[in-house]
Amino acid sequence: MLGKLIRYDGKIQLKFLCSLFIVSAVVSLFAGMMGWLHEAYPQIMVLSMFSTLALGFSILAIFAMVFANIVYVVLHFRKNLFRDEGYLMHTLPVTEPQLFFSKLITGSICVYLSIIAGCLCACIGTRRWDYLEVFMNLLRESGILEAKATVLVLLTFFLLVPFTLCQFYSALTIGYTWKVNSNSHINRDLLSIASYVILYMIQQIVGLIALMLYLVFTFGNPLRAGFLERMEMFMDNMNNNTGEAVVSYIQGVVGMALGINLVIAVVLVVIILRRLNYHLNLE
Amino acid sequence: MDNLIKCEGLTKRYGKNAALWNFSVEIPAGKIIGLLGPNGSGKTTLIKSLSGILMPDAGKMEIAGKEIGTETKKIVSYLPERPYFSSALRVKDTLCFFEDFYGDFQRKTAEEMLKTLQIDTNSKIGSLSKGTREKVQLVLVMSRKAKVYLLDEPMGGVDPAARDFILKTILTNYNEDASVLISTHLISDVEKILDEVIFIKQGKMALYKSVDEIRMEEKKSVDALFREVFAC
């Protein structure tokens, strides 16, 4: 059943992404053509102006595509599970985890695809195909290419999408399943926004606590002598761009962020599933 | 005959208001039952609870001996009072959707009914009128060989001619081992197909009788009795 749900959700969301991609690709193609014309006829000033304008529009279109796609993925979750379509989805012979994970998987895939489509459009618009090489060079110059840190950085980027979606989905789930008086006419979307803000603040507090624990773990007890000196020494190492220090720092911080995000994501998923299982109230 | 639907002490509150209060009922198989009551009496709450989209605060519910969940959703065909298909879908997509998810869905039956109604399966749901959308939903819901049909205001927004079609569809499509629970205000229209009626008043059961009993004992139609019981 999960496969069927993924096929259904994916079809709807990909349709929207495809239409956005077509618009973005056309704008980028136009920008690329203007750039080529400008290079071929540098003496024509109008072409220079048009080329700059077209490139600007193309970059705007790329950002708009990725942003609109994320908004659509979140709105699809809301519409499909908590608005009228929810009356169909929640009466299907499928479990609540299947409903949720189909949205999470298809939503994440759509966001990844929109990012890939954005990169492709950027390449078309600027007529450069070496961005991957530029990125790799950047990692190489940072001295972290052959390190475990690279894997951690890439994993963090990769998991950022489902993690962000979990945040939005949990806020919507809490907002739409929170029990309110039927006569109070509370706007569920406002309740969802309030839930998002509260969840965000909790996550920040957890992050701060974890960072403090990390500092204590790395530099020892802050109440004992030598704590500041140890921190200064570490900073000096970082400033001198000692490869080992940078790698160790990135590994530590990124690893910690990844760990916290994973724990928070698991907690959010548990909250979503519990509320869908025990507190669903389609009004 | 075993009872198909069992509710025991069902309670659902919205703040201080109780939509259902200690509601208990046992519904046998093979009956068409009218769930009747004024606005806000708890009809929709009961149907939503049985379909699994509303969690009661207290009480127990069983359908065919199973607690409400994935297993009961396989045998319950639910028609809500609102359109639930995405307007971007075509009618044929909705047929595929039902075929994919419900093992008891009979596509041929649905296609024949749509043909009778002259509804083009290539039409987009968004381009159909409200009444036609309701008909499409009813056709899909009634094309399942379910054990329980929960129909919430199936004739709410349609013209009298369409109401006749809906009643005919219900009568000809439900199988005799199944039960149909119809919530409606349009008692006089639906009365002729009902076997039993449940009157709900302020979340509590006011009456559960067979239509024949009402006619024999009270010497009244269900509509007349309803007006008497719920007189303002």
Side-chain angles (χ1 to χ4, degrees), chain B residues 110-170:
Chain B
E111 279 173 342
E112 275 165 22
M113 278 199 272
L114 289 171
K115 206 173 167 186
T116 313
L117 286 166
Q118 295 175 318
I119 296 172
D120 182 8
T121 50
N122 285 313
S123 311
K124 272 201 169 179
I125 295 287
S127 70
L128 302 175
S129 68
K130 187 176 175 273
T132 313
R133 258 187 249 185
E134 286 186 11
K135 283 181 201 166
V136 171
Q137 270 183 205
L138 183 82
V139 163
L140 289 164
V141 166
M142 293 311 297
S143 296
R144 285 183 60 195
K145 280 279 169 230
K147 280 196 172 172
V148 174
Y149 297 86
L150 302 172
L151 313 178
D152 195 0
E153 300 285 355
M155 300 177 295
V158 295
D159 56 80
R163 281 178 210 162
D164 286 342
F165 164 78
I166 289 169
L167 293 177
K168 203 176 114 195
T169 308
I170 294 168

